[in-house]
Amino acid sequence: TIGPPEFHRAMQMFGCDLTLEESKALFRKYDGDDSGTISIDEYLRGIRGAISKTRRNLVNRIYATMDADGSGELTVDDVKLRYDASNNPDVLSGKCTEEEVLTEFMQTFEGDGGEKGDGIITRGEWMDYYTGVSSNID
């Protein structure tokens, strides 16, 4: 993570001719959790842009399909009903168990800003993950 002084120096090093006030305003834009620091994930969220409306609708429809019990949250039980981990190449080769593959799947969505390790994928965590993926596709 970096704080405002480091952020301002980095902007200067990259040739951004920002005043101190402009740098502080930009810093606040990236500091999504108002912690006074910017993590790499906050910075990447700030620069990657928004997901397209079409892709957002598709991602929301997939989330709703994965949410087997309609609770508005994805648990490992929801995922087990929609994703057959026994066919994962790592399970088939004996490298991992089905449980390990499911755990890794769940953890994929609990990046910075998520409730790390709580075993629940919120719609926000789901959307945040696919917004990041989308920025590499669009």
Side-chain angles (χ1 to χ4, degrees), residues 80-133:
K80 283 179 184 178
L81 291 171
R82 305 290 192 222
Y83 173 56
D84 182 4
S86 69
N87 290 317
N88 182 288
D90 288 340
V91 173
L92 293 172
S93 72
K95 183 179 175 184
C96 296
T97 66
E98 289 180 47
E99 197 63 36
E100 289 169 329
V101 167
L102 288 168
T103 298
E104 183 179 339
F105 177 87
M106 298 293 289
Q107 290 172 345
T108 298
F109 295 90
E110 299 198 279
D112 194 35
E115 297 296 325
K116 295 181 181 179
D118 68 357
I120 295 171
I121 302 170
T122 65
R123 187 175 293 272
E125 289 168 336
W126 183 266
M127 185 59 69
D128 191 51
Y129 174 80
Y130 282 105
T131 299
V133 170

Side-chain angles (χ1 to χ4, degrees), residues 19-105:
T19 67
L20 187 56
E21 288 307 311
E22 290 169 331
S23 180
K24 286 179 182 178
L26 185 58
F27 180 90
R28 286 190 298 273
K29 177 191 180 317
Y30 288 118
D31 184 14
D33 63 1
D34 293 322
S35 66
T37 62
I38 299 172
S39 70
I40 187 67
D41 288 330
E42 285 176 314
Y43 178 72
L44 292 173
R45 272 193 297 276
I47 64 170
R48 72 179 172 215
I51 190 171
S52 72
K53 183 179 179 182
T54 301
R55 184 153 296 145
R56 181 177 44 255
N57 289 339
L58 179 61
V59 169
N60 277 322
R61 283 185 18 226
I62 295 168
Y63 185 89
T65 300
M66 292 291 291
D67 184 12
D69 65 4
S71 67
E73 299 177 328
L74 299 183
T75 65
V76 72
D77 292 331
D78 289 316
V79 173
K80 283 179 184 178
L81 291 171
R82 305 290 192 222
Y83 173 56
D84 182 4
S86 69
N87 290 317
N88 182 288
D90 288 340
V91 173
L92 293 172
S93 72
K95 183 179 175 184
C96 296
T97 66
E98 289 180 47
E99 197 63 36
E100 289 169 329
V101 167
L102 288 168
T103 298
E104 183 179 339
F105 177 87

